[in-house]
Amino acid sequence: MIQLETNFEPKIVGFLCRWCSYAGADLAGTSRIKYPPNVNTIRVNCSGRVDPTLVLKALALGADGVLIAGCHPGDCHYTNGNVKALRRFRLLQKMLDQFGIERERVRLEWVSASEGERYARVVRGMTEDVRSLGPLNWKARVEAVA
Amino acid sequence: MGTKRVGVFVCHCGLNIAGMVKVKEVIDKANKQPGVVFAVDHKYLCAEPGQTLIKDSIRQHQLDAIVVAACSPAMHEATFKNIAQLSGLNRYNCEVANIREQSSWVHDDSDKATSKAQIAVRQGIEKVKLNEPLQPITVPVTRRVLVIGGGIAGIRAALDVANGGYQVYLVEKSGSIGGRMAQLSETFPTLDCSICILGPLMVEVYRHPNIKLLRLSRVEEVKGYIGNFKVRVRQEPPYVEEAKCNACGECAKVCPAQVPNEFDFGLTWRKAIYTPFAQAVPPAYVLDSTNCLGLLPQACGECKKACDQFGTGCMNLDAWPQVHELEVGAIIVATGYELYDATKLTEYGYGIFSDVMTSLEFERMLSASGPTSGEIRRPSDGETPREIVFIQCAGQREPETALPYCSKICCMYTARHAMMFHHKVPEGQAYVFYMDIRAGGKGYEEFVKRCQEERGLLYLRGRVAKVYEENGKLVVKGVDTLSGKRVQINADLVVLAVGMIPSSETHELASKLKASLDANGFFSEAHPKLRPLESPTAGIFMAGAGQAPKDIPDTVAQASGAASKALDLLSSPTLEREPTVAQVVGELCSGCGICIPSCPYEALSLNAETKLAEVSEALCEGCGTCIASCPSSALSLRNLTDEQMLAMIEAIVAS
Amino acid sequence: MQETQPYLYFPGCSLRTVAKDFDASAKACARALGFELKEMQGWLCCGAVLSNVDDNLMTKAGPNRILARARQEGNTLVTLCAGCYNVLKRTDLHARHVSPSQQAINAFNEEPFNGGVDVLHFLEILRDRVGFDAVEKAVKVPLKGLRVGAYYGCLLLRPFGEMKFDDPNRPSILENLLVRLGCTPIDYPARTDCCGSYLSVSSTENIQPLSGAIVRSARSCGAKLLAVSCPLCKYNLESSQLQGINDSPPDEFVPVVYFTQLLGLALGIDPQQLELDPRQMQAIRETSVSTVKG
């Protein structure tokens, strides 16, 4: 079911934690590092805030991918919110499998406040990966089999 | 609540935004959003005329809420919130959309950057429409300061805060304050005797009524938040009563346990009962229980016998660590540096050839109170070296194999070292291998020139490939790039200017403080230019080499700056905390208690009567982890509710 | 050590020609230690030098072809010559990353290669797979007292970021092996200095400052023998001693052997099988107090 959409621009929702990954994304900005514009960011205080339900809602409403970015383990501003995010993420992945949604569409990455280049690389990589997977078409895929 | 009248302000930021993002199109799109009654652009919204525009617009168009599309909220969110507040709005009716750092600066397609900006603005509009008009939570401020680290940075900061009228706890892990500066012989560029200028400050700290000095102490746990830190400090016992000890040294005379002296980097020995150095403050001896033959059970006890017989009887071998629970409002971190492990620089043979030393070891040798009473000798045979090679940038400015950065002070102290060598060994010859000479401070360039010209030092611009031993000499193979020739020097002594790294326990301390470290392990500043003295974690300030390699003048200036920040924090008896905390929606809570362990601050608990969850607003830091853990959606994060998150997601995917 | 485990093997050109003794001795040692070197299909010259200039693609074309073919037979490739080891290992590392140069090479070669072959040196097999303990147990004729200087040269160790074979300034893997064989390895400063490689062939005035200095350094520290892992190093170190002198070498001649030949002797293999020549055997017998046949 690979759709060859030559002009497909993936729409990716990004949840970035304000202390590390959002600051890292800002650093990419101050360093003027270029990356594709496909990730629209929502700033949360901690990656632990990201409820898996919100991730699924984002996909259901039209996103082709979701990025959750937090601090490296050990560096969480709130001690271990990122570790909790990781646990939830693992369970979410199992759920995605059950829906028949490719795991590559939802990604959890650690980006520190000094990793501007890394943030850009994550965005580039994810954009290309989701682009090659094609549009999600949640309605067609999930609701059709329900 | 009613529909809010939303105003949108789009900043050009000169050409930083307007050069890539089509501002007019952002305005047009904003005007089409439901709720937006006014939208305007401006060249520099953060500047005075821009702020006035916002104020006037709020008044003229009776705006209830504003969205400012500009640089990252990390930059000016506070500025714009203040303006909103001054204009009569609740400060939470102001949202900032990031269209610079995360749009105009990172995309090179104008249309795409513009549509991304439009989406960011739409997100801001949807969020601000649902924001509650919150009032800050007022908390009391504990008007005391904790300074961690008793080197020159900690000493200066402690004195400034204490002179400002507040109580200071100065926590130092070793037996004396003074830090690295106490180990130096002279300081550049004035060639002041280091301990002579430091000593009086150390004594001032000791005598200051507002400073409580806790030596042999480490921070064990930090709880709380800005204005209200609760710090547990564990103090190892010295086994000597500070006030009674007169440093007579009778105890050390009879102590059978000898260990390498850390103050001299192992170049001399000390006893298990010792004074860290001659001018130590507090001027009392310390028993190093790890190297003592044994206290539990007591294996020796000769020191106590000698003290009772010949001294002041101030020893007590039955002592235990003390735990101090400190309550402070601000914390200043001044943990300093140590040197990179030179054994890793296998090309130089440090640790293999005894006549290869680090700069700090050489410094101790130069010192009159050092291992050789200030005479320069080869560690191998005790002879006076004639040919000495200094290697700058050892293990630094080498991203592939060692440290990537420059330690700032090595060019200066190497010049001083080479000059002091010539002064003490007039018939000797010093060679300095360098890559660049960085002498940027006041009087620094003149000092280096003076060293080079007056004393006949040979500066060779090039690196050293290898050092090895042959016939009792150290063969140094390097290159002089200015003449284009390879150079071989048969030296008697080699001194490595090794890089500065953060003190060994920095990482542990940073975790306890929840203060972030940068890529090289130094304490991160909130912003390198605008907020260089504070950690992103509120209430924690920093000074000295623990933040980045620096010399003494900069350290002292930074320490006074950090003290001033702390004094600012303490200047009012109360503090306002962000009210964007978690709240429980009573009707939805089933009392399952799943949220309780998810909180790292223990801000959640089950009410004894209602058996439902409740949030302590003073303890809650607003991370939102509990929100995601609740199966009943009974927890909500003020001004970042799930409803708001969904609205922002819809703003993104709808386009 | 009882099972025969075949390792895919890349001999390289020299080991088929001027360095047959290296190949023969290595294979004999492998048999004695219970594994086999199975030559890969369709190998070709590695080029011996990998350009550090990223757009010098021709030097990478051959090695890529070798690795693509090796990949069809397995994902480990063992080699002996330091030059081949350097070229192949770095080629594999380069191929693992998507880059315009790798794409160009893959378009040029019939068989594209994208990395994934672990290039190992014979010493790594001995240390990590067989284990030096097992090697020591298998020693039948300890070469007691043999004062040998291990010579690493450049290509085993550098560039360190890619080779990661041993400490680039103070390596020890060869000495660690030699000690197990009963030898007394000699530490001398020039162990990791360059022998001059092809320069010694094209510009003979470079031989003495380079290879000559290495031999002098080893000799002055007491080495009676030099052990190497590269045919070109061996050639240079020997010819620096013969330069300008007629056929009978001076008394201080320091023979150069391959480390596999010493290993073979210690394992009790016939010196003829190891292709050791009389001069080398004499040096070994003179200094070693062991009962070496031959």
Side-chain angles (χ1 to χ4, degrees):
Chain A
M1 223 169 68
I2 301 166
Q3 285 146 332
L4 290 166
E5 303 253 351
T6 45
N7 289 325
F8 166 55
E9 285 297 338
K11 181 120 279 220
I12 301 171
V13 175
F15 296 98
L16 271 52
C17 84
R18 92 188 269 150
W19 297 99
C20 284
S21 42
Y22 193 89
D26 277 351
L27 180 61
T30 43
S31 316
R32 313 294 200 275
I33 301 172
K34 307 289 178 225
Y35 55 82
N38 301 68
V39 177
N40 297 86
T41 60
I42 294 176
R43 187 174 74 155
V44 291
N45 278 342
C46 180
S47 50
R49 169 78 184 83
V50 182
D51 190 332
T53 333
L54 287 172
V55 175
L56 291 169
K57 280 257 166 69
L59 295 172
L61 287 170
D64 301 300
V66 174
L67 169 68
I68 308 163
C71 307
H72 288 265
D75 294 346
C76 178
H77 184 77
Y78 304 98
T79 317
N80 54 13
N82 53 357
V83 176
K84 289 167 189 146
L86 177 60
R87 271 189 249 153
R88 293 175 188 139
F89 175 71
R90 293 268 175 258
L91 292 171
L92 178 60
Q93 282 185 314
K94 293 201 166 147
M95 215 173 183
L96 292 172
D97 293 341
Q98 289 168 350
F99 280 149
I101 295 175
E102 302 92 330
R103 281 194 176 197
E104 294 80 15
R105 291 189 186 269
V106 179
R107 211 174 276 201
L108 175 66
E109 293 283 353
W110 310 131
V111 177
S112 85
S114 58
E115 290 180 315
E117 179 58 63
R118 175 164 158 66
Y119 179 73
R121 255 186 289 141
V122 167
V123 172
R124 278 184 219 126
M126 189 167 183
T127 304
E128 286 326 301
D129 288 347
V130 177
R131 194 195 300 278
S132 54
L133 288 172
L136 173 56
N137 276 337
W138 176 279
K139 266 191 153 38
R141 289 162 67 156
V142 177
E143 292 173 16
V145 299
Chain B
M1 195 190 291
T3 341
K4 288 185 190 172
R5 292 170 62 82
V6 179
V8 175
F9 300 84
V10 183
C11 190
H12 289 228
C13 192
L15 282 174
N16 283 309
I17 292 174
M20 181 55 68
V21 168
K22 294 176 189 148
V23 176
K24 288 289 173 230
E25 288 185 24
V26 178
I27 298 279
D28 290 341
K29 194 67 180 273
N31 270 322
K32 295 199 178 84
Q33 302 309 320
V36 175
V37 300
F38 174 72
V40 75
D41 58 309
H42 189 274
K43 274 228 154 52
Y44 298 103
L45 280 172
C46 56
E48 182 60 43
Q51 297 195 32
T52 308
L53 170 67
I54 297 177
K55 226 179 346 156
D56 292 344
S57 307
I58 291 176
R59 197 175 19 90
Q60 275 167 21
H61 300 272
Q62 288 119 54
L63 301 175
D64 300 311
I66 60 171
V67 173
V68 179
C71 51
S72 170
M75 293 290 299
H76 286 308
E77 186 172 35
T79 315
F80 295 124
K81 278 185 157 147
N82 287 342
I83 273 296
Q85 199 167 6
L86 278 169
S87 314
L89 298 182
N90 180 288
R91 54 193 291 114
Y92 293 95
N93 277 323
C94 165
E95 281 293 323
V96 173
N98 187 337
I99 63 171
R100 190 184 72 171
E101 280 85 337
Q102 293 192 22
S103 183
S104 68
W105 272 353
V106 290
H107 305 315
D108 41 25
D109 178 321
S110 181
D111 290 325
K112 292 188 175 154
T114 304
S115 73
K116 195 169 179 204
Q118 290 170 330
I119 294 173
V121 169
R122 179 131 181 240
Q123 279 176 252
I125 295 167
E126 296 311 315
K127 179 168 194 285
V128 87
K129 285 200 290 198
L130 295 168
N131 273 351
E132 282 180 82
L134 301 172
Q135 293 304 324
I137 302 169
T138 312
V139 293
V141 173
T142 312
R143 296 165 105 173
R144 280 191 290 272
V145 176
L146 167 65
V147 176
I148 307 175
I152 180 64
I155 288 171
R156 182 74 261 155
L159 284 172
D160 283 4
V161 173
N163 290 335
Y166 296 100
Q167 204 192 348
V168 180
Y169 298 109
L170 178 55
V171 166
E172 164 56 44
K173 71 183 179 196
S174 75
S176 169
I177 53 174
R180 294 278 169 230
M181 198 173 161
Q183 289 175 301
L184 304 182
S185 177
E186 296 87 17
T187 62
F188 57 76
T190 49
L191 295 181
D192 281 306
C193 151
S194 186
I195 192 64
C196 307
I197 53 177
L198 178 63
L201 289 174
M202 288 163 61
V203 173
E204 211 186 317
V205 163
Y206 193 54
R207 298 218 198 293
H208 206 295
N210 279 349
I211 300 180
K212 179 148 193 228
L213 172 56
L214 295 168
R215 65 169 178 165
L216 301 168
S217 301
R218 280 178 169 76
V219 169
E220 218 169 47
E221 192 185 51
V222 179
K223 279 187 168 159
Y225 48 90
I226 178 176
N228 293 276
F229 290 109
K230 291 189 178 23
V231 184
R232 186 184 322 140
V233 171
R234 188 187 170 89
Q235 184 175 32
E236 297 303 309
Y239 303 96
V240 170
E241 212 184 306
E242 246 175 63
K244 276 167 93 180
C245 173
N246 67 355
C248 66
E250 292 297 328
C251 50
K253 281 198 197 135
V254 299
C255 173
Q258 260 201 143
V259 289
N261 185 355
E262 310 85 343
F263 190 76
D264 282 337
F265 300 100
L267 293 171
T268 54
W269 297 91
R270 63 160 172 83
K271 297 294 183 72
I273 181 150
Y274 69 109
T275 180
F277 52 98
Q279 305 89 340
V281 166
Y285 271 57
V286 172
L287 176 55
D288 165 16
S289 57
T290 346
N291 290 303
C292 168
L293 294 182
L295 289 169
L296 276 176
Q298 209 177 96
C300 171
E302 292 300 314
C303 50
K304 182 164 185 345
K305 282 193 211 135
C307 182
D308 289 339
Q309 204 177 353
F310 303 112
T312 57
C314 58
M315 288 202 63
N316 173 17
L317 294 180
D318 234 333
W320 298 96
Q322 247 192 305
V323 171
H324 303 271
E325 302 280 356
L326 308 176
E327 290 182 11
V328 297
I331 300 177
I332 300 178
V333 174
T335 45
Y337 71 95
E338 54 190 51
L339 290 185
Y340 181 78
D341 180 7
T343 55
K344 291 188 187 157
L345 308 170
T346 46
E347 62 269 39
Y348 301 135
Y350 176 78
I352 299 167
F353 311 123
S354 43
D355 292 327
V356 178
M357 314 176 85
T358 64
S359 48
L360 268 178
E361 288 168 349
F362 188 76
E363 185 74 49
R364 287 310 305 146
M365 203 162 53
L366 277 176
S367 169
S369 66
T372 55
S373 306
E375 290 188 8
I376 304 182
R377 294 294 164 97
R378 304 177 77 205
S380 58
D381 55 14
E383 293 295 315
T384 307
R386 292 279 178 269
E387 312 249 289
I388 183 170
V389 168
F390 294 91
I391 302 178
Q392 291 189 182
C393 300
Q396 314 174 55
R397 301 179 65 191
E398 275 182 49
E400 292 95 8
T401 48
L403 301 172
Y405 53 86
C406 161
S407 292
K408 211 168 178 186
I409 60 172
C410 326
C411 291
M412 289 306 298
Y413 70 61
T414 300
R416 174 170 61 80
H417 282 177
M419 189 173 91
M420 292 307 296
F421 168 75
H422 270 239
H423 178 70
K424 294 186 186 227
V425 186
E427 69 280 20
Q429 177 64 58
Y431 305 87
V432 179
F433 281 93
Y434 72 99
M435 294 209 282
D436 298 285
I437 297 294
R438 294 179 166 177
K442 193 164 183 179
Y444 285 14
E445 175 69 24
E446 297 91 316
F447 177 77
V448 176
K449 273 279 165 304
R450 187 183 131 204
C451 290
Q452 290 173 329
E453 285 160 12
E454 272 181 34
R455 296 283 174 169
L457 310 177
L458 252 165
Y459 268 69
L460 299 162
R461 189 182 180 280
R463 307 208 64 186
V464 168
K466 208 193 310 225
V467 174
Y468 59 91
E469 216 165 52
E470 196 168 71
N471 301 326
K473 291 267 206 182
L474 287 170
V475 178
V476 177
K477 283 193 139 150
V479 78
D480 172 17
T481 58
L482 295 180
S483 66
K485 295 208 159 77
R486 275 181 294 175
V487 170
Q488 178 174 314
I489 300 170
N490 295 345
D492 297 306
L493 192 62
V494 172
V495 181
L496 305 174
V498 195
M500 291 161 85
I501 58 174
S503 289
S504 56
E505 293 164 54
T506 301
H507 198 262
E508 264 182 73
L509 180 63
S511 296
K512 291 175 184 158
L513 291 169
K514 299 199 194 57
S516 44
L517 298 176
D518 68 18
N520 294 310
F522 292 97
F523 279 98
S524 278
E525 59 287 317
H527 189 278
K529 288 190 171 41
L530 299 179
R531 300 170 65 198
L533 302 172
E534 33 191 313
S535 171
T537 309
I540 299 180
F541 307 100
M542 58 190 72
Q547 180 255 339
K550 59 175 65 72
D551 53 26
I552 295 169
D554 284 350
T555 298
V556 173
Q558 205 183 28
S560 290
S564 144
K565 289 262 167 212
L567 287 169
D568 178 23
L569 181 59
L570 266 44
S571 61
S572 118
T574 59
L575 198 62
E576 286 183 345
R577 299 247 300 148
E578 285 286 328
T580 47
V581 294
Q583 61 179 355
V584 182
V585 180
E587 312 90 71
L588 293 174
C589 175
S590 65
C592 68
I594 288 180
C595 58
I596 314 287
S598 71
C599 179
Y601 304 100
E602 291 166 27
L604 281 162
S605 55
L606 278 177
N607 184 296
E609 282 159 27
T610 64
K611 303 276 193 278
L612 299 176
E614 58 186 17
V615 180
S616 157
E617 290 193 349
L619 289 173
C620 175
E621 289 282 331
C623 70
T625 305
C626 58
I627 318 294
S629 73
C630 178
S632 321
S633 300
L635 277 163
S636 168
L637 190 62
R638 289 204 160 104
N639 287 349
L640 193 60
T641 60
D642 279 350
E643 197 191 347
Q644 287 173 298
M645 297 271 272
L646 271 169
M648 287 194 279
I649 292 171
E650 274 168 358
I652 293 172
V653 297
S655 45
Chain C
M1 212 188 77
Q2 310 308 315
E3 340 83 68
T4 311
Q5 200 182 340
Y7 287 99
L8 202 59
Y9 170 55
F10 175 85
C13 310
S14 308
L15 269 74
R16 270 282 172 280
T17 55
V18 294
K20 285 209 193 85
D21 44 350
F22 201 3
D23 180 72
S25 54
K27 285 187 172 139
C29 289
R31 270 195 302 275
L33 289 169
F35 63 96
E36 190 201 325
L37 291 176
K38 185 175 135 228
E39 203 168 300
M40 64 170 274
Q41 301 279 346
W43 63 268
L44 47 123
C45 175
C46 73
V49 168
L50 199 71
S51 174
N52 282 319
V53 175
D54 194 45
D55 58 7
N56 189 342
L57 300 178
M58 278 313 278
T59 61
K60 296 184 174 75
N64 265 282
R65 197 172 289 144
I66 295 169
L67 291 173
R69 291 178 186 174
R71 188 75 186 80
Q72 287 169 358
E73 292 188 73
N75 47 24
T76 304
L77 189 62
V78 180
T79 189
L80 278 161
C81 165
C84 303
Y85 177 57
N86 187 289
V87 167
L88 292 174
K89 186 162 185 173
R90 292 169 63 200
T91 301
D92 175 73
L93 277 173
H94 183 270
R96 290 182 190 192
H97 301 292
V98 175
S99 64
S101 52
Q102 189 62 31
Q103 285 172 331
I105 296 166
N106 282 341
F108 177 80
N109 278 347
E110 311 84 35
E111 309 122 322
F113 178 67
N114 292 303
V117 173
D118 279 331
V119 179
L120 296 173
H121 192 271
F122 193 81
L123 280 167
E124 290 177 299
I125 301 291
L126 292 180
R127 182 190 63 193
D128 301 330
R129 312 277 175 119
V130 176
F132 281 174
D133 286 342
V135 171
E136 189 175 4
K137 265 207 208 107
V139 166
K140 297 204 175 79
V141 183
L143 304 169
K144 280 216 221 32
L146 182 57
R147 299 168 69 79
V148 52
Y151 174 68
Y152 292 83
C154 308
L155 297 176
L156 282 178
L157 306 169
R158 300 186 280 272
F160 174 64
E162 294 170 49
M163 298 308 291
K164 291 199 167 67
F165 178 71
D166 200 341
D167 187 299
N169 294 302
R170 304 203 64 81
S172 55
I173 189 172
L174 268 171
E175 283 84 353
N176 289 343
L177 173 65
L178 291 168
V179 149
R180 305 300 195 118
L181 306 180
C183 304
T184 306
I186 301 296
D187 187 15
Y188 61 102
R191 293 185 303 150
T192 58
D193 286 356
C194 179
C195 69
S197 187
Y198 294 108
L199 265 190
S200 302
V201 179
S202 60
S203 325
T204 50
E205 71 272 15
N206 284 308
I207 296 184
Q208 286 311 319
L210 295 167
S211 290
I214 294 166
V215 174
R216 283 190 290 277
S217 172
R219 187 193 294 133
S220 69
C221 288
K224 292 296 177 194
L225 200 66
L226 281 167
V228 301
S229 181
C230 171
L232 189 50
C233 295
K234 177 165 190 279
Y235 173 83
N236 284 335
L237 292 170
E238 282 178 335
S239 62
S240 73
Q241 302 182 67
L242 299 168
Q243 191 179 38
I245 296 165
N246 61 28
D247 274 352
S248 47
D251 294 331
E252 296 182 327
F253 186 85
V254 181
V256 185
V257 297
Y258 294 109
F259 74 92
T260 44
Q261 292 173 311
L262 290 179
L263 173 61
L265 274 180
L267 292 174
I269 300 173
D270 193 313
Q272 279 215 313
Q273 247 196 307
L274 302 170
E275 304 201 16
L276 281 160
D277 69 36
R279 189 195 289 148
Q280 292 165 330
M281 284 309 301
Q282 188 186 6
I284 292 169
R285 251 183 271 116
E286 271 174 7
T287 59
S288 169
V289 301
S290 65
T291 50
V292 178
K293 306 191 297 265

